[in-house]
Structure formats: C-alpha cells, structure tokens
Amino acid sequence: MSEAGTQGKDLGLLLCNVCHKVNSAHLSHCCRCGEAISERDYSSLHKSWALLLTAAILLIPANIYPITTLVNQGVVTQDTIFSGIKHLVDSDMLPIAIIVFTASILVPWLKIIGLAIYLTAISFHLPIPKRLLMGGFHIIEWIGRWSMLDLFVISLTVALVNMGQLLDAKPAPAATAFALVILLTQLAAKVLDTRLLWDRLELEHDAN
Amino acid sequence: MQDDAVDQTVILCRACDMAVRKRALPSGVRALCPRCHTALYDTPYCSINGMLALCVAALAFYLPANLFPVLELHFLGSVRTASVVEGAMAVMSLGYWVVGVAVLTAAVVAPGILLLSILGQILLIKAGLKQGWQRTTYEWLLEQHGLLSQLTMLEIYVISFLVSAFQLADFSDIYFGVGTFCFTMLFLVTLFLQREYNLEHMWSYLDV
Ligand SMILES: [Zn+2]
Ligand SMILES: [Zn+2]
C-alpha cells in the first residue's frame, strides 16, 4: 500500500479520464484509448459554477409556475409541483406523496445546495472535512437521476388523459424549467474535475 | 503512444488522484479509495457468454416494451392506452419538446443504444479484436458507454408508471397492459446485464 496521501501527480502518473488507464505523466494522450489527458482541469470549476447558477435560477420558475393543467368537467385546475403533492396528501396517498416529494423537491434542492457547498469549498478553501464533501458528492451524483420521475409521470398522464372538456391533462410552463434544472445539475456534477478538491484543500492543510 | 514503463499494479483514484497499490480481491468484494471512499475496482465477474444471453433477452423485450401500452385508462366506457413512446410524443406535440426529448432519451433511445453497443462490444471480442477497424470501433463504443449508461433511466420509469396509476386512480379505473410486463422485464434484464458488465474489464481486452 502506498503512503497515505500520495497522489498520482507526485509519482509522475496520470489517470486517463475515459478508460481509467494509468499513464506516465509526460504523455499528452492516453496510450490505450488515445484520449487527451491532463493533470488537472482547472476550467472545470468555472464551467460547473456557471451550470449550477443557471440551474439555481431556473429552479425558481420550476417551483412557482404550474407544472400541469387539468381540466375536469370544464373546471380548469393548474398545479405547481408543491400543490400536486398536497393533493396527494389530501387524497390519502401518503407513500406516493413521499416518493414525488423526494424526487421533485428534495432531490433538486439538495443537489443544488450540495453542489454549491462543494464548489464553494473548493473555490474558497473552506475548512470542511473532505471526506464528508466527497461522500455528499457521490450521493448527489447517484440521486440526481430520480428527478426525472415527475417528467415521466407527466408524459404518461398527458398521453392517457385527453378527453376534451370532460377530462384533460396538459403540461404547463414549469415542466420545461424543471427538465432544464435536471439537465444542468447533472452536467454541473459531470464536468467537475473532483481531484481539484483534494489538491486545493491539501495546500490549505500544509500551510497550517 | 508507446506504453511507457508504468507500474501497472498502481492505480489512481479517479475522484481524488490518490495512488493505491492494486491487490487481488475475493470475488464480490469492491475496493474503495482509502481517502475518499470512491469505488476503485472489483473482481470482474463478467462472463462474455452470460452477457450475450442477457443482452439478447433484453433486446427481445425492447420493442414490445416501447410499443405496447404500459397503462390503460377506462373512463365512462371509453378505453385510453399509452405506451412509453406515445407519452413522450404527447408532451412534444403540445410544445413541451424539452420534456419530450428528455423522456424519449432516458426511457427509449439511451437504453436501446446501450443494449446495441454492448451487443456490438461482445461480438467484437468474439471476433478476436485483431483487425484495426475492430479495435477502433471497440474503443469508440467503450468511450461512449459511461454517458449511455448514465442516460438510461429504466428503473425510474418503472416507478413512474406506478405513481401515475395511483394518481389517476382518483378519476378512473387504471389497468396495466402487456407493455408494463415487457417494460419491467426489460428493466430487470438490463439491471442484471449492467451488474455483469464491467467497463474496466472491457478496456483490458485491448491490452493483450
Ligand atoms: Zn485512456
Ligand atoms: Zn479517492
């Protein structure tokens, strides 16, 4: 086992991001898959911030505006993500309400707040335990996909329920905003070179 | 791009760049990075023939899963059905193409391409990967694999037709269709296929 804290860059080794082969650091391209390799991608931090801020702004219309429109015997009701969940609770479908609440409210908010903490910690060298940050990051990557649940449900409902004035369901503007939030937060986590967290905070540690 | 004299028993953590010496693992055990707990490697248990069988089975379920109705709605004597593809098309035709494209990509397109890509990889391995074009194609398929498996969200779709069924049960009678069975089978077989599949191990076929 190597000594604790020894990094590839100290040993003159470089990991290929595409095929995960360990390369010698003086190569410019991976010797197995030919992909360009670099020690660290510092620009990834800015890209990730930009994507995250856009997502955070879009999260506001996604929650304020209605996400579905329902016509039931001529009566038009528009539901936001939140009021939709409230209906589920009112109609005694608590387990379903919890699933939808987790996928449509909890996951997006946790993802945006979590990624913001993560990026702030790297950018401003915050003294937050790195292991905690990395653990949170893995959870964010894993749960992020579950937000798609609401979009799937909307598409099925819209296809099933179209009977004119009697009963009709349609998506409403927040649906697009919500889809973009999912896309942008997934990208923000994807583009980030997480090795930066360990480098930058390491310097902080050494300085103390 | 010659293979430099890099010590191949050292691997680097892709999340924090920590250098770890690789050891033999008992089967079913996964090595985690000692510093940030990212999964490093596990013993590959992919059997090529097993994967081929799962892949063919998944492809057999693919078309019926996407074309047959996953939900049926009985309302005042009329019967409405919706398949996965129809759901995506319905929101798109109402102008919510971002939502439609997201649903279509996550539930139909990405899973389909993923299965075809794995089938292609298996056939190329069986062909021996001797010719130049075989290696180039194989490399290209492996490079796309990470993105494709991230875009594949069959498990979330399975939950979504349960949620839709419960939500609509308020207004009308809901029945599951043939498509529901095929889609659930597609999800299960793909789940086992992805457990069997090991990207790291697939890359190592290019080393010999
Ligand atoms: Zn490579
Ligand atoms: Zn690590």
Side-chain angles (χ1 to χ4, degrees), chain A residues 6 8 26 40 131 138 145 194, chain B residues 15 17 19 34 38 150 152 155:
Chain A
T6 309
H26 65 260
R40 296 291 184 266
R131 207 170 267 201
H138 288 315
R145 308 146 46 91
T194 53
Chain B
D17 203 27
T38 303
Q150 236 192 358
T152 300
E155 73 280 25

Side-chain angles (χ1 to χ4, degrees), chain B residues 13 16 33 36:
Chain B
C13 171
C16 76
C33 170
C36 74

Side-chain angles (χ1 to χ4, degrees), chain A residues 1-9 11 13-15 18-24 26-27 29-35 40 70 72 88 91 93 96 99-100 131 134 138 145-146 148-149 151-163 166-167 170-173 175-176 179-180 190 194-195 198 202, chain B residues 1-4 6 8 10-21 23 34-38 70-73 75-76 78 80-83 86-88 90-91 94 96 98-99 102-103 106-107 139 143 149-150 152-153 155-157 159-161 163-164 166-168 170-171 174 200 203-204 206-207:
Chain A
M1 190 64 71
S2 314
E3 277 170 50
T6 309
Q7 283 187 272
K9 67 169 187 176
L11 299 172
L13 298 175
L14 209 48
L15 188 72
V18 175
C19 73
H20 296 169
K21 177 155 179 105
V22 177
N23 285 276
S24 164
H26 65 260
L27 292 177
H29 291 80
C30 173
C31 65
R32 179 158 70 184
C33 70
E35 199 64 26
R40 296 291 184 266
L70 185 79
N72 192 1
L88 286 173
S91 29
M93 288 191 276
I96 302 291
I99 295 175
V100 178
R131 207 170 267 201
M134 204 63 215
H138 288 315
R145 308 146 46 91
W146 283 92
M148 278 297 287
L149 182 72
L151 298 185
F152 289 150
V153 171
I154 290 172
S155 79
L156 274 175
T157 314
V158 167
L160 278 173
V161 185
N162 53 346
M163 280 161 274
L166 275 179
L167 193 60
K170 282 192 171 65
T176 300
L180 290 172
K190 179 103 188 134
T194 53
R195 295 174 298 186
W198 302 85
E202 206 73 79
Chain B
M1 287 189 294
Q2 79 286 11
D3 197 340
D4 266 51
V6 165
Q8 286 303 326
V10 171
I11 52 166
L12 301 177
C13 171
R14 72 190 132 83
C16 76
D17 203 27
M18 167 117 181
V20 179
R21 194 162 297 280
R23 297 166 163 194
R35 185 161 70 169
C36 74
H37 296 289
T38 303
V70 288
L71 282 181
E72 279 179 28
L73 183 144
F75 182 72
L76 298 178
S78 71
R80 299 270 164 172
T81 63
S83 67
E86 282 167 356
V91 282
L94 290 169
Y96 289 84
V98 177
V99 181
V103 172
E139 267 176 36
E143 278 167 29
S149 57
Q150 236 192 358
T152 300
M153 305 186 190
E155 73 280 25
I156 305 167
Y157 207 96
I159 305 290
S160 83
F161 48 68
V163 171
S164 311
F166 275 104
Q167 283 192 347
L168 291 170
D170 247 14
F171 303 102
I174 289 286
E200 224 87 337
W203 274 113
S204 70
L206 282 172
D207 287 340

